[in-house]
Amino acid sequence: MTSFLELSTLDVAYPPRKVIRDLTLRMSRAGIGCLLGPSGCGKTTLLRAIAGFEPLRRGSIHLDGVELSRPGWTLPPEQRRIGLMFQDLALFPHLNVTANIAFGLYDWNVAERRARVDELLKLVGLEEYAGRYPHQLSGGQQQRVALARALAPRPRLLLLDEPFSNLDVALREGLAREVRSILLREGIGGLLVSHDQFEAFAFADEIGVLHQGRLLQWDSAHNLYHRPVDRFVADFIGQGVLLPGRLGSNGRVSTELGELWGTPPVDCTVGEPVEVLIRPDHIVRDDASPLRAEVVERVFRGAEFLYTLQLPSGARLLCLAPSHHDHAPGQHISIRLDIDDLMIFRRGGD
């Protein structure tokens, strides 16, 4: 079955530096995806290559079975049927909402253009704001205008380069969910670039983690959190601690928290130093447990506290606990582990 978006062994370079390295990605039909990673990892460069603004040194890009790029040849951006939505929304300040949305429909006849704009105003909930100008809108409303403008020509794929990053966290995640819903209703694929994992979780079905120009893992949010392929993904996704241990036989690991069991990397040997991934939800407050830890810090999150706990060795863990248990820094609490699938990594390696 042909993938909706297929990137095959891509290299993209700003000589002499190679920014994207041997990257392969396949996104399901009309899927909703996200490229996630720290600043400078190549996310925006990859998005620009998909849009047709960066040439390939190696590999190819296909959308819906149609080749868009290969070394020495690039289909012009305006012929790709790809919409773009950037962090800088670039709304035209001298045009009202209706005219901004209609801007890319210059070759449509008047009746079709009017019908499409009316359809999009209703879709993004801005019917009452059709005659207003960008400076008369809130940040969230401006985002909706930019989205409607990008969707107006009915693209096959919408590329979003951190378009919500200037909004506050609650509005950002809510708008990401709203944009996702609109894309699904329109039957348009979406690919978001972000450094915010919660925004990525709210928006995407498939998420790719990039590091130094390489795609480390393309997977569901659940698998990225619970089954990271290496230490970088484990550390970057979610909150967690890599706790030192030593590998025994049959997947047993001796740690300060006791004996744990998991599936070690295939190249690990018995007796080798390893690290195990401990997430905040793996630590359960339990007065009956003999395992004790000192509360070092706490952050109130309404229904829960996020505690930073210190073990006797000085190693620190994170723990989520119901907020009706209120433990002050300096207090010792009893904890136990609840891990269904222990992730084990070579210490200092992958």
Side-chain angles (χ1 to χ4, degrees), residues 243-257:
L243 186 70
R246 191 164 296 275
L247 185 63
S249 58
N250 301 319
R252 178 176 54 85
V253 182
S254 299
T255 75
E256 189 174 3
L257 297 176

Side-chain angles (χ1 to χ4, degrees), residues 153-175:
R154 292 195 172 94
R156 291 178 295 185
L157 174 67
L158 179 65
L159 303 178
L160 305 99
D161 190 358
E162 305 207 50
F164 316 126
S165 60
N166 291 330
L167 304 176
D168 64 69
V169 173
L171 184 57
R172 188 161 65 230
E173 291 180 30
L175 194 54

